[in-house]
Amino acid sequence: MIDLWPYPTGSRISSGASPSSGASFDLDQKTQRLGELEHAVAEGGVWADPERARRVVEELKALKGWVEPYNALRKRLDEARGLNELADAESQSAETREVEELRRELEAEADGIAGELEKLELRNMLQGPDDARDALLTIHPGAGGTESQDWAEMLMRMYVRWAERHGFKVEVLDLLEGEEAGIKSADIQISGRYAYGLLKAEKGVHRLVRISPFDAQSRRHTSFASVFVYPVVDEDIEIEIRDDDLRVDTFRASGKGGQHVNKTSSAVRITHLPSGIVVSCQQERSQHKNKATALKMLKARLYERAVEAREAKKAEVDKQKMDIAFGNQIRSYVFQPYTMVNDHRTDLKVSDVHKVMDGDLDPFIEAFLKRFGSKAA
């Protein structure tokens, strides 16, 4: 008999011996709510209010993203169990080559089902109020000049490749290149459902150890770069930004961008005077579009600051919050004298550093979420 239900009774996934009840994912409640919304849409009343219609469509999409994959997996499991029972019945009479082949197929299907359940379990950890939002990711090199700037650019490429693997949209909002190599700063928006919930695992300082290509004596160097991740705030969330609190400066865009970039002051820098937060955008030719994007970036950072202030107050009571606070470094990437990526929060180690730098971050993200779950900030 092949075990087609790889999780023990009472586990995070299972609410019994099968997924039919769906209690651990609140499937009954989600299914009921989905039916209510579909009925409201069918009646047509929601379309009279565009804003309400937008919210309903978003909620419908989110609920279907849970209910449909779960139901498909449950159907797949039922079919596999039926085949398993058939293989057991046939094996009673004679152990044929066909039965052996069927058992191999069932074993592969059991592994596939377990993989899909792991994905649902991971999504079940993304229950934070901002987890489903797009992410605004900023990268800054530490001290060390060209070496650290090159490391910052390597990290940017790593996150872009990760986002592309997941089918997320990547938009470089602001990029300041280094004089010799690398970057001095980067602001990237990664758009896709749960982009922030996944990328929040990347907040902190990342450490690189390698033989520097910029050192004529080929000495080993240690470099640092910081990564910050903010949720992209929807327009309907109230964050007050007064015009009197803003200083808006325009300047000519830098970098490779053609003749237009160097001839017009289309780039925009906004300073929020009360908080001291500075954002800039120079990716569009239109000054108006750059200003709108910069305001969106500012809004995201002010929202994140408010969330952090709220969590800081909570941390005073909940000392366990300190267990997931980011220290001086969250992860080390070692290229020499050996290859290893070591996450200091989860103790996960991966020897293939080049694969990680090519965007294979999922093992680290999953380990972080499994260990800290809803406590992750």
Side-chain angles (χ1 to χ4, degrees):
M1 175 71 70
I2 296 174
D3 185 8
L4 291 171
W5 183 251
Y7 291 92
T9 300
S11 70
R12 187 194 304 269
I13 287 289
S14 175
S15 57
S18 78
S20 56
S21 65
S24 57
F25 292 128
D26 294 325
L27 256 294
D28 292 338
Q29 182 178 352
K30 287 182 172 67
T31 302
Q32 180 181 352
R33 178 59 177 167
L34 179 61
E36 294 172 354
L37 291 177
E38 288 178 335
H39 179 71
V41 169
E43 286 187 337
V46 298
W47 304 113
D49 183 347
E51 180 59 28
R52 181 190 175 200
R54 184 189 67 81
R55 291 196 300 267
V56 168
V57 169
E58 285 294 317
E59 188 176 358
L60 269 173
K61 186 187 299 183
L63 289 170
K64 286 183 177 180
W66 277 104
V67 174
E68 292 179 355
Y70 193 93
N71 288 340
L73 185 59
R74 182 172 60 183
K75 180 181 178 181
R76 183 177 171 183
L77 178 61
D78 290 341
E79 291 174 350
R81 279 177 168 161
L83 289 175
N84 197 25
E85 292 173 359
L86 178 61
D88 284 340
E90 291 186 359
S91 65
Q92 297 296 325
S93 56
E95 187 69 23
T96 65
R97 180 179 300 177
E98 289 77 11
V99 173
E100 293 177 357
E101 184 177 346
L102 179 59
R103 287 202 179 279
R104 285 195 294 270
E105 293 177 1
L106 282 168
E107 288 174 356
E109 180 68 358
D111 291 340
I113 290 172
E116 292 301 314
L117 283 168
E118 286 282 359
K119 291 180 182 179
L120 282 176
E121 182 183 21
L122 181 63
R123 282 193 57 191
N124 200 39
M125 300 174 193
L126 300 175
Q127 301 286 350
D130 300 313
D131 283 351
R133 299 187 188 278
D134 299 339
L136 176 63
L137 187 144
T138 68
I139 302 172
H140 295 281
T146 301
E147 178 70 20
S148 292
Q149 292 172 16
D150 187 58
W151 172 227
E153 186 175 36
M154 291 169 64
L155 285 175
M156 184 180 74
R157 177 186 179 276
M158 180 182 72
Y159 290 119
V160 169
R161 295 299 296 272
W162 174 86
E164 291 172 348
R165 285 185 176 205
H166 287 266
F168 292 157
K169 178 184 176 183
V170 178
E171 185 179 2
V172 179
L173 302 179
D174 193 48
L175 181 65
L176 184 59
E177 297 178 349
E179 286 84 359
E180 298 180 29
I183 59 173
K184 293 183 176 179
S185 66
D187 290 278
I188 307 169
Q189 180 170 327
I190 298 178
S191 303
R193 191 155 187 83
Y194 296 106
Y196 173 74
L198 296 169
L199 284 171
K200 67 186 179 184
E202 298 301 300
K203 293 181 182 178
V205 176
H206 297 246
R207 172 177 174 256
L208 168 69
V209 180
R210 67 170 178 175
I211 295 176
S212 172
F214 307 101
D215 189 333
Q217 300 180 26
S218 298
R219 290 172 296 188
R220 192 171 60 165
H221 285 240
T222 298
S223 305
F224 297 89
S226 62
V227 175
F228 298 94
V229 186
Y230 310 91
V232 175
V233 185
D234 291 341
E235 295 299 324
D236 58 347
I237 293 181
E238 293 296 331
I239 295 179
E240 183 181 3
I241 301 178
R242 300 191 308 166
D243 291 340
D244 294 343
D245 292 337
L246 302 179
R247 185 177 72 238
V248 181
D249 301 309
T250 59
F251 57 97
R252 292 183 180 180
S254 61
K256 306 175 184 66
Q259 296 178 352
H260 176 88
V261 169
N262 297 319
K263 288 186 176 180
T264 62
S265 298
S266 58
V268 174
R269 180 186 298 111
I270 298 178
T271 303
H272 186 249
L273 300 176
S275 65
I277 294 175
V278 180
V279 295
S280 61
C281 183
Q282 56 178 313
Q283 296 308 108
E284 299 289 343
R285 293 190 174 188
S286 166
Q287 184 184 114
H288 176 74
K289 290 182 179 179
N290 281 331
K291 182 179 179 180
T293 301
L295 282 171
K296 181 172 67 173
M297 295 164 64
L298 175 61
K299 194 174 184 181
R301 296 194 186 186
L302 287 172
Y303 178 81
E304 179 71 2
R305 174 170 288 199
V307 171
E308 288 176 351
R310 181 188 64 198
E311 292 298 328
K313 291 181 181 179
K314 180 181 176 183
E316 294 176 2
V317 179
D318 185 4
K319 295 301 182 181
Q320 291 181 349
K321 187 72 175 177
M322 297 301 295
D323 294 337
I324 62 169
F326 299 115
N328 291 332
Q329 60 197 44
I330 65 166
R331 193 177 300 147
S332 294
Y333 307 71
V334 181
F335 284 73
Q336 281 96 14
Y338 55 89
T339 61
M340 180 70 69
V341 181
N342 180 16
D343 193 291
H344 304 293
R345 302 159 303 174
T346 63
D347 295 326
L348 176 64
K349 297 178 176 63
V350 175
S351 60
D352 193 343
V353 64
H354 298 287
K355 186 177 180 181
V356 174
M357 296 308 302
D358 202 37
D360 189 21
L361 291 171
D362 287 348
F364 297 101
I365 293 173
E366 291 172 9
F368 177 84
L369 292 175
K370 286 179 180 178
R371 179 162 182 175
F372 301 120
S374 60
K375 293 190 295 181

